[in-house]
């Protein structure tokens, strides 16, 4: 059985976790849960980095002993991770005896082989980074990451590690194992850095009490980075449990922020080489999170508490946002508006709505019990097979966002499949009973598969979806449960919405609504598409500029219902690619609401809102009709995504 040992960075405990900290833990959790789903023996390590001068200072400010302060903060961190449903197997604190043993062990090994020597360090130290800085690292005399802090000039007798000696061996390792540093931009940075030559580094601080004393010099403590990096090995027995160490070391993946790639891909592997220990298989430096395009910072007021974000819709929607919206490895942005928008689009309108629709059709047409009928399964089987294969490839390659997208391809295809097969039409003719049974079973089966794939990303919601489509969510195994099944009986449960739609606060604000001269005529929607009269170039012709003022776009129907007391109007909720909005369309005499869901239509995107039967319509649906005839929706010969411009 293969094994997978994944770690995240351990966190300084001088402040609560913010969304950026949480991002890393969520992604690591998704990877760990994916590995477990794939049947790999997995160990997922997280922890806290406590021997920092900033932690020490913060404790003194709070009137606590450093350890008592760290005990308190451990509870704060654990509560955050629990709110986000992070499934770590082990949580290490650098003040634990097992970690001290690991740091002592590696220090002893390095000292014994002459890899550590005495010297005097004189130079800059940034307390914000807890790192020694060279003159060239400073901008206007300050650390660029901590421009408000005065760097310290320190001169002390320190112990040095012969890092410079490892330049060639590191370069050889990078060349032999291109997968060691990912993603590519991080690898290139580190290659350039190491090719430029390495300096020996100080690994101790003199005259400090808060830290791990070095075994060969009780008056010095290990430099906080030298101390912290060892956690990955001390958590699996370095210095305490040889058998555990043998079982789990080397780590399969260190997941860290891109700013600390150098520590993990230069200093840490050199320490391991010097201690004659195997190197981790991979170090992945993920990107940074911004909020509304700005760096997360207390002074900018852009710090987001992940627990608060999880409280809005639950942990799963937040996890989905972080994984699906941010290409893994790149930087990503969070905003409350965008979060609400994606929640409505992916969950309320798409996945949640699909689960409800299939359950209610199963109830209406088959008393809630679905079985395959023997009719040929529809094309969903192929879509699902492709999606499962692509999901596996993406997740193995740590393209988490593509894994999420693959799962949602099944969801989208199922919505389209329902629109195409039109179970409500099949239900009208008993001759179609088998086709109807099979179409409903296929839809439920596709939902089951999507939920299996989404389990690492949305563990609680996926279990709930599996329950609603009548299967167990326990002990899932991708090899077995990621296969299309055309057998068995499913009892579907009709229950309330999984994710109620979040109404935007701006939609109901009528005071800012521009006045509209006339409502578009209900049964001739196309006729109202002409822009307001402007200076025409000649006669009754308009210029291309006039035409381009009308923004025609592709949209997808997410929900449709009749407008009460109106024969002609349907209220549609559509995905325009950039938002979801309500459009009232005069097509009720020609289209059943259910038949429209999932359909791609063309809309006037920039039409001023107008009220029809008390409902604000934000745009207009395009349809053709002959005078007095029924409207026929404009459709496209090939698939186009919502938001595509029509011209
Ligand atoms: Zn700094």
């Amino acid at each position: 059985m293969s094994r997978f040992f994944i770690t995240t960075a351990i966190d300084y405990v001088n402040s609560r976790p913010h969304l950026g900290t949480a991002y890393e833990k969520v992604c690591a959790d998704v990877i760990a849960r994916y590995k477990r789903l794939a049947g790999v023996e997995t160990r997922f390590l997280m922890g806290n980095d406590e021997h920092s001068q900033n932690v020490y200072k913060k404790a003194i400010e709070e009137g606590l002993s450093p350890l008592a302060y760290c005990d308190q903060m451990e509870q704060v961190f654990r509560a955050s991770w629990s709110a986000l449903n992070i499934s770590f197997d082990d949580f290490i604190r650098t003040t634990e005896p097992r970690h001290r043993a690991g740091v002592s062990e590696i220090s002893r090994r390095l000292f014994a082989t002459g890899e550590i020597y005495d010297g005097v360090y004189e130079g800059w130290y940034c307390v914000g980074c807890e790192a020694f800085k060279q003159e060239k690292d400073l901008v206007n005399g300050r650390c660029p990451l901590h421009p408000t802090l005065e760097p310290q000039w320190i001169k002390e007798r320190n112990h040095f590690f012969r890092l410079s000696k490892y330049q060639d061996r590191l370069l050889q390792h990078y060349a032999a194992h291109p997968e060691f540093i990912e993603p590519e931009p991080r690898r290139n940075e580190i290659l350039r850095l190491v090719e430029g030559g390495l300096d020996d580094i100080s690994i101790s601080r003199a005259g400090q009490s808060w830290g791990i004393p070095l075994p060969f010099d009780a008056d010095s403590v290990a430099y906080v980075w030298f101390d912290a990096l060892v956690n990955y090995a001390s958590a699996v027995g370095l210095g305490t449990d040889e058998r555990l160490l043998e079982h789990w070391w080397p780590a399969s993946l260190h997941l860290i922020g891109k700013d600390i790639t150098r520590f993990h891909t230069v200093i840490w592997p050199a320490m391991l080489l010097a201690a004659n220990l195997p190197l981790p298989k991979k170090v992945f430096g993920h990107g940074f999170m911004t909020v509304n395009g700005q760096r997360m910072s207390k002074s900018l007021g852009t710090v987001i508490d992940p627990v608060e974000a999880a409280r809005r819709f639950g942990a799963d929607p937040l996890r989905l946002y972080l994984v699906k919206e941010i290409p893994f490895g790149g930087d990503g942005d969070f905003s409350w508006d965008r979060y609400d928008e994606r929640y409505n689009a992916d969950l309320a309108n798409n996945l949640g709505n699909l689960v409800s629709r299939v359950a209610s059709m199963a109830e209406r047409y088959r008393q809630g019990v679905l079985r395959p009928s023997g009719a040929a399964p529809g094309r969903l089987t192929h879509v699902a097979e492709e999606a499962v294969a692509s999901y596996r490839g993406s997740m193995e390659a740590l393209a988490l966002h593509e894994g999420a997208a693959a799962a949602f391809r099944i969801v989208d295809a199922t919505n389209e499949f329902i629109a195409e097969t039109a179970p409500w039409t099949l239900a009208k003719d008993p001759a179609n009973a088998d086709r109807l049974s099979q179409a409903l079973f296929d839809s439920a089966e596709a939902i089951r598969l999507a939920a299996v794939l989404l389990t690492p990303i949305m563990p609680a919601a996926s279990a709930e979806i599996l329950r609603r489509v009548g299967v167990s969510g326990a002990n899932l195994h991708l090899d077995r449960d990621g296969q299309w099944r055309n057998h068995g009986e499913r009892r579907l449960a009709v229950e309330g919405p999984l994710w109620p739609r979040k109404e935007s606060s701006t939609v109901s604000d009528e005071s800012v609504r521009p006045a509209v001269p006339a409502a578009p005529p209900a049964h001739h929607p196309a006729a109202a598409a002409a822009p307001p009269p402007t200076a025409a170039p000649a006669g009754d012709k308009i210029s291309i500029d006039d035409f381009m003022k009308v923004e025609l776009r592709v949209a997808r129907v997410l929900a449709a219902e009749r407008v009460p007391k109106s024969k002609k109007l349907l209220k549609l909720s559509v995905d325009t690619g950039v938002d979801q909005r309500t459009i009232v369309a005069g097509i009720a005499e020609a289209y059943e609401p259910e038949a429209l869901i999932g359909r791609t239509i063309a809309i006037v995107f920039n039409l001023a809102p107008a009220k029809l039967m008390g409902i604000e319509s934000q745009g207009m649906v395009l349809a053709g009709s002959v005078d007095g005839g029924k409207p026929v929706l404009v459709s496209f010969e090939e698939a186009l995504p919502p938001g595509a411009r029509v011209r």
Side-chain angles (χ1 to χ4, degrees):
M1 193 183 191
S2 56
R3 282 182 203 127
F4 193 79
F5 175 30
I6 178 173
T7 70
T8 64
I10 54 175
D11 298 305
Y12 285 143
V13 294
N14 51 321
S15 58
R16 310 170 53 85
H18 55 67
L19 194 64
T21 330
Y23 172 63
E24 174 177 296
K25 312 313 178 201
V26 166
C27 292
D29 188 57
V30 169
I31 297 167
R33 286 179 186 269
Y34 165 75
K35 289 290 178 180
R36 294 186 198 118
L37 179 66
V40 176
E41 186 190 1
T42 300
R43 189 178 180 98
F44 174 17
L45 171 70
M46 287 178 26
N48 284 348
D49 188 355
E50 303 184 327
H51 288 135
S52 143
Q53 288 180 66
N54 290 316
V55 171
Y56 182 81
K57 268 188 244 156
K58 190 70 195 260
I60 303 302
E61 272 170 40
E62 308 254 314
L64 291 167
S65 78
L67 197 56
Y69 172 78
C70 291
D71 288 347
Q72 274 186 9
M73 290 308 283
E74 181 191 11
Q75 296 317 311
V76 171
F77 276 74
R78 281 183 181 267
S80 297
W81 305 147
S82 157
L84 297 175
N85 209 352
I86 307 291
S87 65
F88 53 79
D89 301 295
D90 189 8
F91 193 91
I92 191 167
R93 296 176 50 183
T94 54
T95 47
E96 285 175 47
R98 61 170 169 161
H99 179 65
R100 289 171 166 262
V103 172
S104 297
E105 173 67 22
I106 209 162
S107 312
R108 240 191 318 268
R109 289 194 194 189
L110 268 55
F111 190 71
T113 50
E115 299 302 292
I116 290 177
Y117 65 94
D118 281 358
V120 172
Y121 179 80
E122 185 168 8
W124 296 109
Y125 189 83
C126 172
V127 179
C129 295
E130 296 278 20
F132 302 97
K133 298 277 167 178
Q134 295 183 328
E135 197 72 48
K136 67 173 164 61
D137 298 331
L138 304 180
V139 176
N140 300 324
R142 301 285 174 104
C143 164
L145 297 176
H146 300 96
T148 59
L149 291 177
E150 188 84 48
Q152 297 175 354
W153 181 263
I154 57 173
K155 182 178 181 182
E156 58 188 37
R157 198 183 71 85
N158 278 347
H159 300 282
F160 284 79
F161 169 49
R162 298 187 196 280
L163 181 65
S164 58
K165 210 177 118 176
Y166 290 89
Q167 181 189 15
D168 289 345
R169 286 181 71 187
L170 287 171
L171 288 172
Q172 280 161 21
H173 187 78
Y174 304 152
H177 302 277
E179 74 292 346
F180 178 66
I181 309 172
E182 286 185 0
E184 192 69 23
R186 304 293 106 74
R187 179 177 149 78
N188 294 335
E189 281 162 29
I190 296 298
L191 281 178
R192 274 197 304 276
L193 179 92
V194 177
E195 280 161 0
L198 295 170
D199 294 327
D200 293 347
I201 56 162
S202 163
I203 56 127
S204 68
R205 298 299 314 274
Q208 287 186 9
S209 56
W210 185 236
I212 299 176
L214 292 172
F216 47 84
D217 176 5
D219 294 332
S220 289
V221 297
Y223 162 51
V224 66
W225 268 104
F226 186 83
D227 166 341
L229 288 164
V230 179
N231 91 86
Y232 305 124
S234 58
V236 289
L238 177 67
T240 52
D241 187 340
E242 267 306 309
R243 280 183 58 197
L244 189 66
L245 188 68
E246 193 124 304
H247 189 83
W248 287 109
W249 194 258
S252 316
L253 173 62
H254 291 323
L255 182 61
I256 51 152
K258 64 181 179 181
D259 55 329
I260 55 174
T261 310
R262 185 171 65 90
F263 290 96
H264 285 80
T265 57
V266 181
I267 299 178
W268 177 229
M271 286 164 66
L272 290 165
L273 288 170
N276 202 20
L277 286 163
L279 306 195
K281 299 290 180 204
K282 189 191 295 295
V283 176
F284 191 100
H286 65 76
F288 284 158
M289 285 285 294
T290 52
V291 171
N292 294 316
Q294 285 181 300
R295 190 167 66 86
M296 235 181 285
S297 107
K298 265 188 202 148
S299 52
L300 294 171
T302 46
V303 173
I304 287 187
D305 180 350
V307 178
E308 190 196 333
R311 217 176 275 136
R312 196 176 189 89
F313 308 119
D316 285 337
L318 177 63
R319 293 168 61 104
L320 181 69
Y321 180 95
L322 295 177
V323 169
K324 185 163 176 279
E325 295 308 306
I326 303 168
F328 194 54
D331 294 338
D333 189 56
F334 180 89
S335 75
W336 290 108
D337 286 349
R338 176 94 181 127
Y339 182 33
D340 290 354
E341 196 181 297
R342 292 320 308 168
Y343 166 83
N344 277 340
D346 287 334
L347 296 176
N349 296 336
N350 200 5
L351 179 55
N353 187 41
L354 175 65
V355 173
S356 300
R357 284 173 75 203
V358 172
S360 63
M361 287 193 290
E363 178 69 32
R364 191 178 326 154
Y365 304 127
R366 291 295 179 263
Q367 289 76 50
V369 182
L370 300 182
R371 290 180 205 94
S373 67
R379 65 176 184 85
L380 276 182
T381 49
H382 307 294
V383 173
E385 269 164 25
E386 180 281 326
V388 172
S390 137
Y391 170 85
R392 288 191 101 125
S394 301
M395 297 301 276
E396 291 295 336
L398 302 182
L400 308 184
H401 55 295
E402 286 170 11
F408 270 85
R409 279 206 294 281
I410 302 181
V411 177
D412 292 340
T414 310
N415 274 316
E416 283 159 23
F417 173 77
I418 291 171
E420 285 161 15
T421 49
W424 45 91
T425 309
L426 294 178
K428 287 176 186 159
D429 183 353
N432 289 326
D434 281 359
R435 282 183 61 204
L436 175 60
S437 292
Q438 191 66 44
L440 293 176
F441 188 89
D442 284 358
S443 303
E445 172 61 7
I447 293 173
R448 182 189 71 78
L449 273 174
V452 168
L453 303 192
L454 287 169
T455 295
I457 304 170
M458 302 199 295
S462 298
E464 172 63 12
I465 292 171
L466 290 171
R467 189 185 69 77
R468 288 188 182 202
V469 295
V471 291
S472 162
N475 302 317
L476 294 177
H477 195 303
L478 191 55
D479 285 341
R480 183 193 59 213
D481 299 304
Q483 307 263 357
W484 184 271
R485 287 180 197 155
N486 191 34
H487 55 80
E489 183 183 279
R490 311 275 167 85
R491 275 176 192 280
L492 277 71
V494 176
E495 289 170 48
L498 281 162
W499 294 287
R501 209 184 130 76
K502 162 91 178 165
E503 295 303 336
S504 149
S505 54
T506 51
V507 169
S508 57
D509 186 359
E510 303 207 354
S511 61
V512 296
R513 185 164 57 87
V516 181
H523 62 286
H524 278 169
T534 50
D540 55 359
K541 302 282 198 293
I542 63 167
S543 71
I544 183 77
D545 290 344
D546 283 339
F547 171 71
M548 290 308 283
K549 284 178 191 159
V550 185
E551 245 184 87
L552 302 177
R553 286 187 187 273
V554 174
R556 196 156 64 93
V557 180
L558 302 166
E561 59 186 83
R562 288 181 187 284
V563 172
K565 295 183 199 146
S566 167
K567 264 197 274 180
K568 290 179 175 167
L569 296 182
L570 288 183
K571 179 185 164 191
L572 309 179
S573 169
V574 303
D575 176 358
T576 68
V578 293
D579 60 15
Q580 282 83 54
R581 52 173 80 182
T582 298
I583 296 183
V584 178
I587 53 173
E589 288 174 309
Y591 293 90
E592 288 295 320
E594 280 174 323
L596 291 172
I597 297 169
R599 224 180 127 140
T600 298
I601 56 173
I603 62 164
V604 182
F605 181 79
N606 61 341
L607 192 69
K611 262 198 174 174
L612 295 167
M613 301 288 286
I615 301 165
E616 186 174 88
S617 181
Q618 300 157 309
M620 200 178 79
V621 171
L622 296 191
S625 62
V626 294
D627 279 348
K630 285 187 174 174
V632 177
L633 286 171
V634 170
S635 63
F636 299 93
E637 211 169 72
E638 282 174 39
L640 277 170
R645 186 97 194 244
V646 180
R647 54 197 149 198

